Amino acid sequence: MRIGIAGAGAFGSALAVTLARAGREVTLWARDEGAVQTMRDTRRAVRLPDVDLPAGIDPVSELSSLFSCDTILLALPAQVTRGFLEAHAGALSGRTLVACAKGLDLTTLTGQGAIVVESVPDAVPALLTGPSFAADIARGLPTALTLACPDDAAGRALQHDLSTPDLRLYRSTDLAGAELGGALKNVIAIACGACIGAGFGDSARAALMTRGFAEMQRLAAALGARPETLMGLSGFGDLVLTCSSELSRNYRYGLALGRHEDWDAATTVEGAHTARAVADLATKRGLDLPISAVTARMVAGELTPQQALETLINRPLKEE
Ligand SMILES: NC(=O)C1=CN([C@@H]2O[C@H](COP(=O)(O)OP(=O)(O)OC[C@H]3O[C@@H](n4cnc5c(N)ncnc54)[C@H](OP(=O)(O)O)[C@@H]3O)[C@@H](O)[C@H]2O)C=CC1
Ligand SMILES: O=C(CO)COP(=O)(O)O
């Protein structure tokens, strides 16, 4: 069985590496012909420093090679997934499509699993998410993730196809819960980074993580997720990792906001887009999500971290 991966960024490359090390044949697609040629010539990943590509990985720039795979992992930025799937819906018909991005689509306010369902209705939709840095996976460090697939039988097969000796996959049928956990934690990670960057301290960060998790649960429940999914790897697990490690781009972006430092706009920071989407969803559904709301306003340059803190701490006192 050959596994296709769309996107040879950090995550797509890391997944390709762990799968190929476990003996799977992998077609790794990137849009940039030059990058593909470099990978073929050097057998090194272009977006992951010092990572060798095992022989089982075939880097390609022709979409036809990707579309010949029965199972395709979508490791593109969250705002790119829908356009990619809609443009190629015919060629992707009937495939198993595993969304790997973590973010809500800004135009439709939908998660990555729902995008697969809507864009390619006759595909088998699935989602791979949870606490994992690409660099850790590529180094062969132990990692546990959630594989969500509404079709239990297809999910069981996929769990075996995508698990490796270093990558332990837990199964779920709750696509909505898994996609929301991975997307929403990025917003809270930006808030936590800003908190530490501005010097508000570890206690304040713990409060943001806890109250941020309450917001994640509130929004996810309103959108039909199962509460227990948010308690697992895709929700709580990824929240802990992303809010506490400088390996996270979302957290580092927050640190830069807190320190009033410049940030490279080309870096993938999913939480910046998702913060806006969450603010829109909260307005539409009449939900109170104060940490996400101030984070969206910080990202938009409408609030400084100090103003965001004052907004949160001066809210009316309430029961926990
Ligand atoms: N990095 C990580 O540790 C993890 C990342 N993820 C998630 O994976 C997703 C991707 O992240 P990551 O791989 O790190 O991001 P990167 O920034 O490393 O890579 C993004 C990739 O997407 C490609 N790309 C961007 N726009 C397009 C487009 N319009 N059409 C085709 N390809 C495009 C880029 O190609 P080009 O180089 O040509 O611009 C690049 O190869 C994110 O949602 C992230 O949250 C999940 C878990 C861990
Ligand atoms: O999702 C991730 C860890 O699970 C990667 O986080 P960043 O996108 O913030 O780097």
Side-chain angles (χ1 to χ4, degrees):
M1 173 203 182
R2 178 167 280 278
I3 296 166
I5 301 181
F11 198 42
S13 303
L15 291 171
V17 167
T18 189
L19 289 166
R21 276 198 201 121
R24 318 295 203 281
E25 296 292 317
V26 180
T27 295
L28 180 62
W29 174 84
R31 62 176 172 176
D32 180 348
E33 269 180 46
V36 169
Q37 198 53 54
T38 302
M39 286 190 279
R40 295 179 87 92
D41 293 343
T42 62
R43 299 305 300 177
R44 282 279 175 120
V46 285
R47 289 275 191 135
L48 277 174
D50 305 327
V51 172
D52 291 328
L53 299 179
I57 298 177
D58 186 18
V60 300
S61 57
E62 312 81 37
L63 281 164
S64 54
S65 304
L66 177 70
F67 297 155
S68 68
C69 302
D70 288 333
T71 296
I72 299 175
L73 277 53
L74 303 160
L76 301 167
Q79 302 310 317
V80 171
T81 310
R82 184 179 283 276
F84 181 84
L85 292 180
E86 287 181 352
H88 306 295
L92 292 167
S93 163
R95 304 291 189 281
T96 297
L97 299 178
V98 187
C100 299
K102 295 176 178 173
L104 301 182
D105 181 57
L106 257 175
T107 47
T108 56
L109 308 183
T110 43
Q112 298 293 304
I115 290 173
V116 173
V117 173
E118 290 169 9
S119 308
V120 191
D122 68 349
V124 176
L127 182 94
L128 184 61
T129 188
S132 62
F133 290 124
D136 290 350
I137 292 177
R139 285 172 63 201
L141 299 180
T143 311
L145 297 181
T146 300
L147 176 76
C149 181
D151 177 334
D152 189 46
R156 283 172 191 272
L158 205 51
Q159 182 181 28
H160 285 280
D161 291 342
L162 300 183
S163 289
T164 73
D166 313 312
L167 186 63
R168 178 174 169 81
L169 301 189
Y170 287 81
R171 206 173 56 246
S172 167
T173 53
D174 184 11
L175 201 58
E179 71 185 7
L180 289 167
L184 303 182
K185 61 86 187 174
N186 281 333
V187 179
I188 308 305
I190 293 175
C192 287
C195 165
I196 296 298
F200 300 150
D202 289 338
S203 303
R205 170 173 48 188
L208 281 174
M209 285 174 70
T210 311
R211 296 310 304 162
F213 188 46
E215 289 186 19
M216 289 168 59
Q217 290 171 301
R218 207 174 302 146
L219 178 56
L223 297 176
R226 286 184 222 140
E228 64 269 25
T229 308
L230 273 288
M231 304 303 290
L233 292 163
S234 58
F236 179 74
D238 214 352
L239 178 76
V240 170
L241 179 72
T242 316
C243 293
S244 59
S245 171
E246 289 197 26
L247 287 181
S248 159
R249 294 161 298 191
N250 286 282
Y251 180 75
R252 287 204 307 275
Y253 170 66
L255 279 178
L257 286 177
R259 293 170 180 158
H260 302 284
E261 288 173 357
D262 290 339
W263 178 258
D264 175 5
T267 307
T268 301
V269 180
E270 298 289 20
H273 305 290
T274 295
R276 274 172 56 201
V278 170
D280 288 355
L281 273 172
T283 306
K284 271 190 168 176
R285 293 186 169 253
L287 293 169
D288 188 26
L289 307 174
I291 297 170
S292 304
V294 297
T295 305
R297 295 188 65 198
M298 268 196 304
V299 168
E302 294 167 8
L303 287 182
T304 63
Q306 182 64 38
Q307 289 167 327
L309 172 74
E310 283 162 14
T311 305
L312 292 174
I313 217 148
N314 290 322
R315 281 164 47 82
L317 298 176
K318 54 181 282 204
E319 195 173 24
E320 187 172 20

